[in-house]
Amino acid sequence: MSATAEKVSVTVEALKEQIRRLQAAPRKYLAALRTGVEAFDELLPGGGLPLGQVVELWGEAASGRTSLALRAMASAHREGRLCAYVDGPGELYPPAAMAAGVDPARLLIVRPKTAEQLAWSAVQLVRSGAFACVVLDLTRGPKGASGVRLSPAEGKRLMDAAVRGGSLLLLLTAPEAPGDGMMRLRTEARDDEGLSVEVVRSRQGGIGARTLVPWKALYPELEGGETPWGAELPPAEDVTVPELPRERPPSEGHRGILWQRPGRDAPMPSLRASLDAGSALH
């Protein structure tokens, strides 16, 4: 055997040994997001909200859709992952999100100027593979229009992006404008009892299953017998978010942002840096 061949053989064996050590090492694979709300998680076929899929939270205003989405993002943040929120109505209130366990340093809030940009923004975020959970709030549009309805083509692109990026996409939808998620959960507030959640669409079965989530499970700060409607929240301040450039996806296939796994363990860039980047584009 020549010296070159012997050197290659040694290198290959060293690589094999490294691979064996990596495979034997304990790994933490996140296949589903458990919200920590036990009654809700037990309702779902996999014991949590599945990554790589589109799940729709469908209900009236104040029916608990946003509260469940915040719990999902807080779960992702506890795992060291990143999340994004495409805020159609422009009403996400950061202090309420932080009270639910959301880490603002790991959350990107996007507020498109038109309803047509909502689905496009979500597709780019989900397909990037950088975010473990992306929330798309379609309950109202940027100009106050109620119930933004997705076209069949937009729904297909969103589902393809979720599969490709390995992220969970949560659609928040109004009764008059249901979306096209792989799983649809109907939410309904039950006065002083809690939040009713019913599986009305699922490819994994369990259709018709229902649970009642006590308000205390969603809002631990409540005193006994209190409901979330006891206090008024101050209005949220407007935030200017730079528009994302439309770039052609690379032909060599998806590898995520900075070659990282979905929801990589890294802090979000500062708001100042994002605004400077947005100014440079214009």
Side-chain angles (χ1 to χ4, degrees):
M1 180 183 294
S2 67
T4 301
E6 184 177 356
K7 186 176 180 180
V8 170
S9 177
V10 171
T11 302
V12 170
E13 288 303 318
L15 289 173
K16 287 182 178 179
E17 179 59 28
Q18 290 185 32
I19 292 172
R20 282 192 290 268
R21 286 201 301 267
L22 288 172
Q23 290 177 335
R27 290 171 294 173
K28 192 171 186 180
Y29 176 72
L30 189 64
L33 287 177
R34 293 185 59 84
T35 64
V37 180
E38 187 174 346
F40 178 71
D41 291 335
E42 291 179 351
L43 177 69
L44 304 171
L49 293 162
L51 271 71
Q53 293 191 25
V54 180
V55 177
E56 180 183 359
L57 299 176
W58 177 53
E60 300 279 356
S63 65
R65 299 166 302 192
T66 304
S67 296
L68 290 173
L70 293 178
R71 294 294 174 181
M73 292 194 296
S75 174
H77 288 163
R78 287 193 296 270
E79 298 287 343
R81 313 298 179 92
L82 302 180
C83 297
Y85 197 105
V86 183
D87 190 7
E91 295 177 346
L92 180 65
Y93 187 60
M98 294 171 63
V102 172
D103 180 0
R106 294 182 179 273
L107 175 63
L108 174 66
I109 301 175
V110 180
R111 286 178 172 158
K113 296 179 180 178
T114 66
E116 291 74 20
Q117 294 175 329
L118 290 172
W120 182 86
S121 300
V123 167
Q124 311 313 310
L125 294 166
V126 174
R127 189 166 55 189
S128 74
F131 303 92
C133 177
V134 176
V135 179
L136 174 55
D137 190 343
L138 299 171
T139 55
R140 284 199 301 111
K143 297 182 180 180
S146 61
V148 178
R149 185 183 290 272
L150 296 173
S151 70
E154 288 173 326
K156 177 68 164 54
R157 283 194 291 269
L158 286 168
M159 284 191 277
D160 289 346
V163 173
R164 180 180 177 183
S167 304
L168 164 67
L169 174 60
L170 283 177
L171 298 180
L172 308 186
T173 59
E176 66 273 14
D180 194 20
M182 296 180 180
M183 178 184 297
R184 179 180 296 160
L185 305 174
R186 177 162 51 201
T187 60
E188 182 181 358
R190 293 293 183 85
D191 297 329
D192 57 349
E193 295 181 65
L195 172 64
S196 172
V197 184
E198 179 185 5
V199 180
V200 296
R201 176 180 179 177
S202 174
R203 297 182 182 180
Q204 297 176 305
I207 296 177
R210 183 195 300 262
T211 191
L212 183 67
V213 179
W215 291 127
K216 185 73 173 176
L218 280 176
Y219 308 99
E221 67 278 7
L222 294 178
E223 300 293 337
E226 280 189 335
T227 68
W229 331 124
E232 293 272 337
L233 291 175
E237 297 181 1
D238 290 337
V239 177
T240 302
V241 180
E243 293 186 14
L244 295 174
R246 294 176 178 263
E247 297 181 353
R248 185 181 299 276
S251 58
E252 67 271 15
H254 165 69
R255 294 184 183 275
I257 289 181
L258 297 182
W259 301 80
Q260 301 289 338
R261 62 182 172 79
R264 66 192 186 282
D265 296 329
M268 291 297 300
S270 67
L271 180 59
R272 179 71 267 163
S274 298
L275 292 176
D276 291 342
S279 300
L281 294 176
H282 300 286

